[in-house]
Amino acid sequence: MQQSSTLYVGLDVHKESIAVAYVAQEYGAEVVSLGTIGTRQCDIDKLIRQLQSKSKQLVFVYEAGPCGYWLYRYLTKKGYTCWVVAPSLIPKKTGDRVKTDRRDAMQLARLMRSGDLTPVYVPAVDDEAIRDLSRAREDTLRDLKAAKLRLKAFLLRHDIRYTGRANWSPAHLRWLSEVVCPTPAQQIVFQEYVQTVTEQTERRGRLELELHEQVKTWRLAPVVEALQALRGVQFTVAVTTVAELGDLTRFDTPRELMKFLGLIPSEYSSGERRRQGAITKAGNSHARRALLKVPGRIGTQRK
């Protein structure tokens, strides 16, 4: 049996299973589904041995998702080409209302052969670690904001008002420690809300301290330091931006960088009429939010 020159292998990856399909490079070759396999490394090795009997050249592709990049790193470490693609950039037929793991794996293999897929950037392990730490801090800020809103809403609902100037100042915190609610049950609720705000504030402090320590030995620490020379760019903004962007040399032009950040204007033009709208917001939301908080950014100056 003559071996194919290249096999394109589509993988639909889930927590406990992976649907597999492949297609040969030759024109007219049909996509073949191999069913599902497990997610252990021995299951991956068994699949590789099975496919190597058909072709020595294997190209794998799967969608980016909650399972992360472990499969990409495992396959590339073995010397195989592997692409991770964004689900939003996968071409889909209009009116196709049937979605199964088998069909998804077959579609990935088919589109990989036709060259209609674009890989996403996969960060190095150390870069992803800093990104996880940065995103954990961002999650804490979101939780802290929600906890403060719950506490303020509870006080407003019971007409307990603070007459000072700034919320969450030392004076405001002293006032909170002296608040007495009408009933014991409401006092318990109030104290729990206050405790949640305190815990989230302490958590934010711990994460920011660890972020400062971990960045000192990071390979991209000089880039973080250089960005802070820009007006309004503080440490957390610089770390978030660099952690989300990764290696800046992968962007050939400034426009590609702005496209990744979702900061280019939307456009709906036809014929001689050109219409541009607000920014697309289609890129990396974490880096975009960090950059939009920088004072004096373009578009925020008052005329």
Side-chain angles (χ1 to χ4, degrees):
M1 179 179 178
Q2 185 179 3
Q3 287 189 337
S4 172
S5 58
T6 303
L7 285 185
Y8 297 97
V9 185
L11 305 172
D12 192 48
V13 182
H14 296 277
K15 179 181 178 180
E16 301 294 342
S17 64
I18 301 175
V20 183
Y22 71 88
V23 62
Q25 184 181 19
E26 285 72 25
Y27 177 78
E30 295 185 358
V31 184
V32 179
S33 174
L34 292 181
T36 60
I37 63 173
T39 56
R40 299 173 301 175
Q41 292 184 359
C42 60
D43 298 322
I44 305 300
D45 293 338
K46 182 179 178 181
L47 171 66
I48 292 174
R49 290 193 297 268
Q50 181 180 356
L51 293 174
Q52 280 182 331
S53 64
K54 307 178 186 300
S55 174
K56 295 297 182 182
Q57 185 70 24
L58 304 177
V59 177
F60 295 88
V61 59
Y62 70 95
E63 295 181 13
C67 294
Y69 302 119
W70 70 268
L71 182 56
Y72 167 87
R73 294 186 177 118
Y74 185 72
L75 291 172
T76 53
K77 187 177 180 179
K78 285 183 167 293
Y80 296 103
T81 300
C82 181
W83 281 19
V84 183
V85 298
S88 59
L89 299 180
I90 298 177
K92 293 180 174 60
K93 293 181 179 179
T94 304
D96 188 359
R97 305 300 177 92
V98 179
K99 183 184 185 303
T100 65
D101 296 346
R102 176 177 175 274
R103 287 170 63 94
D104 288 347
M106 295 176 68
Q107 182 187 33
L108 285 172
R110 186 183 301 109
L111 292 174
M112 187 67 177
R113 181 182 64 174
S114 62
D116 292 326
L117 297 177
T118 303
V120 301
Y121 171 72
V122 178
V125 176
D126 293 340
D127 297 349
E128 187 179 20
I130 297 296
R131 190 181 71 177
D132 288 340
L133 190 56
S134 174
R135 289 186 178 181
R137 175 191 169 275
E138 187 178 345
D139 292 338
T140 302
L141 289 176
R142 191 179 300 111
D143 295 340
L144 176 59
K145 181 179 179 181
K148 288 180 176 180
L149 286 175
R150 292 191 195 100
L151 176 57
K152 292 174 68 176
F154 174 84
L155 294 174
L156 180 62
R157 191 163 62 248
H158 297 287
D159 197 29
I160 302 174
R161 301 173 183 270
Y162 175 62
T163 57
R165 291 186 176 182
N167 288 328
W168 315 113
S169 63
H172 182 231
L173 296 178
R174 285 194 300 270
W175 175 80
L176 286 174
S177 65
E178 299 171 356
V179 169
V180 178
C181 295
T183 67
Q186 291 171 334
Q187 188 69 27
I188 292 173
V189 174
F190 168 74
Q191 290 174 348
E192 288 296 328
Y193 281 155
V194 172
Q195 181 63 25
T196 302
V197 172
T198 303
E199 291 174 351
Q200 295 299 334
T201 302
E202 294 174 350
R203 180 185 172 198
R204 181 189 62 181
R206 292 194 304 270
L207 288 171
E208 289 180 350
L209 179 61
E210 289 297 332
L211 196 57
H212 277 82
E213 291 298 321
Q214 295 296 325
V215 168
K216 291 179 181 178
T217 58
W218 189 26
R219 69 180 183 91
L220 295 177
V223 183
V224 175
E225 191 70 24
L227 283 179
Q228 293 179 69
L230 299 175
R231 178 177 178 270
V233 179
Q234 300 178 349
F235 174 78
T236 52
V237 173
V239 171
T240 301
T241 303
V242 177
E244 296 296 334
L245 297 180
D247 186 4
L248 294 176
T249 59
R250 64 192 179 96
F251 300 105
D252 294 331
T253 62
R255 184 173 180 81
E256 289 187 6
L257 174 59
M258 293 298 103
K259 182 179 179 181
F260 178 81
L261 293 171
L263 294 176
I264 61 175
S266 58
E267 183 171 353
Y268 186 81
S269 301
S270 180
E272 298 180 356
R273 187 176 184 180
R274 186 185 184 192
R275 298 175 60 184
Q276 288 186 314
I279 59 175
T280 62
K281 296 184 179 180
N284 188 291
S285 59
H286 301 278
R288 183 173 61 252
R289 280 195 297 268
L291 291 173
L292 291 180
K293 293 178 182 177
V294 176
R297 62 185 186 270
I298 296 176
T300 60
Q301 295 89 346
R302 295 183 180 273
K303 296 183 179 179

